[in-house]
Amino acid sequence: MLVDTFGRKIEYIRISVTKQCNFRCQYCMPDTPEDFLDSSMIPLDKTLEFLKIAINEGIKKIRITGGEPLLRDDLSDFISSLRAYSPSVELALTTNGFFLKKYAKILKDSGLDRLNVSLDTLKENRLKLISKRDALPNVLEGLQEAKKVGLPIKINMVPLKGVNDDEVLDMLEFCLENGFILRYIEFMENSHANSSLKGLNEREILALISQKYTLSPIEKQTIGPAKSFRLENGGVFGIIAPHNDDFCKSCNRIRLTSEGTICPCLYYQEAVSAREAILSGDITAMKEALKLSVHNKPEKNQWDNEQNQHSARAFYYTGG
Ligand code: SAM
Ligand code: SF4
């Protein structure tokens, strides 16, 4: 079992399988050159061996993210191998949805349990403005395909002032109509994002929803930092609000980057390199790196907007 020095059980690992992406979202990697290639990616068969160790040590949930994970064309074989190794581990994927129409069934057949699709707007031109891609038709088709093959879907929306804050309710209603669960994510300031962006916080998001619906918080049933709410019509949605003081108390996760670095926290610079251990298949060294990263997990993130201490680490590197 992996338990950190503050008694939190670490059962969830997020793995970024590539830093590359076909989008250039304003809040993530707006200035990354179009032709950027991730030259340090670990082969997925090596990552698999690391994850087997993590599962043996008590990891129960794996989320595959990036960059855009569906840019790795051997991803479904990787998921099948993980599923074959552990029938019970929860396997989830976060994607921008652009390639989902092609991959939804393959992913489902490989043993993926669930999907998070990032979608910040239902307006075609606006998505182009946010992501620098004319992507809405592809994403919407991909969502319908994923729904058809029976993958449970959550939608991640980052509400931004003056950009898409007028769609907080529209996005909620779109998700309720389609059987998706919407999760609003507070914009997390970082030095790679467009510095003029301002996010809506939890209170502001709830105020907009309350203009139309009566809502109540749902008592926490799952471990992890997301909060859930229920509307009077029975619909549910979630908010990830890392600006809140109590956010880190229930943190149960660590992150592995595509180059093999284990990050114990998004907003904490120290990390443990497991790259050589993973590339050489050194089981003892991989286990040690895993345990060290859990041991190093800080009690709270080191994030202080008032002192302008933004994370220098890119989200497309850590996987968000
Ligand atoms: N490309 C995939 C996608 O967009 O879903 C996976 C990687 S992306 C880094 C993972 C999640 O991080 C997405 O839901 C995205 O909206 C979120 N994200 C990226 N930058 C963010 C930021 N600065 N603040 C809050 N969420 C962010
Ligand atoms: Fe790409 Fe996802 Fe970052 Fe957008 S949020 S640029 S889709 S990695």
Side-chain angles (χ1 to χ4, degrees):
M1 198 195 291
L2 298 165
V3 183
D4 75 7
T5 44
F6 305 96
R8 293 170 298 195
K9 238 198 251 177
I10 308 303
E11 296 185 321
Y12 177 13
I13 187 163
R14 297 173 65 102
I15 57 160
S16 168
V17 292
T18 178
K19 285 185 276 188
Q20 269 170 241
C21 189
N22 56 323
F23 285 16
R24 289 289 178 272
C25 298
Q26 295 289 334
Y27 47 70
C28 184
M29 53 194 298
D31 302 324
T32 304
E34 285 296 318
D35 57 357
F36 166 71
L37 289 177
D38 184 352
S39 53
S40 53
M41 287 185 290
I42 300 238
L44 287 178
D45 58 335
K46 301 276 184 193
T47 306
L48 177 68
E49 296 310 310
F50 173 78
L51 289 174
K52 287 180 182 172
I53 293 170
I55 291 169
N56 295 347
E57 292 295 326
I59 289 293
K60 295 195 165 46
K61 176 173 174 182
I62 298 170
R63 176 171 299 280
I64 302 161
T65 170
E68 176 45 44
L70 293 181
L71 287 176
R72 285 202 80 162
D73 51 16
D74 49 351
L75 198 71
S76 57
D77 293 338
F78 171 67
I79 293 172
S80 300
S81 306
L82 269 173
R83 175 54 72 225
Y85 185 73
S86 170
S88 63
V89 72
E90 187 182 334
L91 297 177
L93 176 88
T94 302
T95 170
N96 61 31
F98 192 84
F99 302 107
L100 203 47
K101 188 171 179 200
K102 175 175 171 195
Y103 285 116
K105 181 160 177 4
I106 302 171
L107 291 169
K108 171 78 176 156
D109 292 346
S110 311
L112 189 78
D113 289 309
R114 51 189 66 256
L115 263 185
N116 280 44
V117 178
S118 304
L119 180 62
D120 300 308
T121 173
L122 296 168
K123 297 180 198 273
E124 208 163 331
N125 281 340
R126 196 173 270 181
L127 188 56
K128 217 168 172 177
L129 199 92
I130 297 172
S131 71
K132 299 198 192 165
R133 284 296 171 277
D134 191 2
L136 192 66
N138 281 46
V139 179
L140 293 180
E141 280 183 41
L143 278 170
Q144 289 313 320
E145 185 64 19
K147 185 174 157 180
K148 195 169 103 196
V149 303
L151 281 166
I153 298 166
K154 285 188 179 149
I155 302 289
N156 292 353
M157 174 191 190
V158 180
L160 298 165
K161 290 185 181 163
V163 178
N164 61 350
D165 48 353
D166 56 343
E167 286 187 88
V168 161
L169 272 173
D170 291 349
M171 284 291 296
L172 181 59
E173 286 166 354
F174 166 78
C175 288
L176 294 175
E177 279 159 22
N178 282 282
F180 309 146
I181 295 183
L182 181 59
R183 300 232 292 197
Y184 302 99
I185 305 179
E186 285 183 354
F187 168 59
M188 295 175 236
E189 295 76 3
N190 70 90
S191 50
H192 300 262
N194 176 334
S195 58
S196 66
L197 295 178
K198 296 264 173 288
L200 263 65
N201 63 28
E202 177 184 347
R203 189 179 38 77
E204 291 165 324
I205 295 166
L206 292 177
L208 285 173
I209 298 171
S210 304
Q211 287 176 4
K212 182 154 176 190
Y213 295 102
T214 306
L215 51 91
S216 49
I218 301 177
E219 202 147 306
K220 242 177 185 261
Q221 281 161 351
T222 50
I223 305 164
K227 287 186 197 168
S228 299
F229 297 84
R230 193 182 306 283
L231 305 171
E232 79 260 30
N233 65 11
V236 295
F237 68 92
I239 301 190
I240 308 222
H243 293 87
N244 289 358
D245 276 348
D246 59 353
F247 186 74
C248 304
K249 268 190 210 147
S250 54
C251 186
N252 60 344
R253 62 199 60 187
I254 52 174
R255 292 169 165 84
L256 178 72
T257 70
S258 61
E259 68 193 30
T261 300
I262 314 176
C263 303
C265 170
L266 257 186
Y267 279 82
Y268 180 67
Q269 282 310 116
E270 267 175 53
V272 177
S273 176
R275 182 176 174 81
E276 290 315 316
I278 295 175
L279 285 176
S280 63
D282 183 335
I283 293 175
T284 311
M286 283 192 265
K287 224 185 255 185
E288 271 171 15
L290 182 64
K291 291 197 165 157
L292 182 61
S293 69
V294 170
H295 178 81
N296 286 356
K297 193 168 164 63
E299 184 175 18
K300 261 184 85 37
N301 62 43
Q302 293 179 343
W303 181 11
D304 187 344
N305 280 328
E306 268 146 45
Q307 295 191 32
N308 225 17
Q309 282 176 2
H310 295 172
S311 176
R313 238 192 240 133
F315 274 56
Y316 60 92
Y317 173 73
T318 52

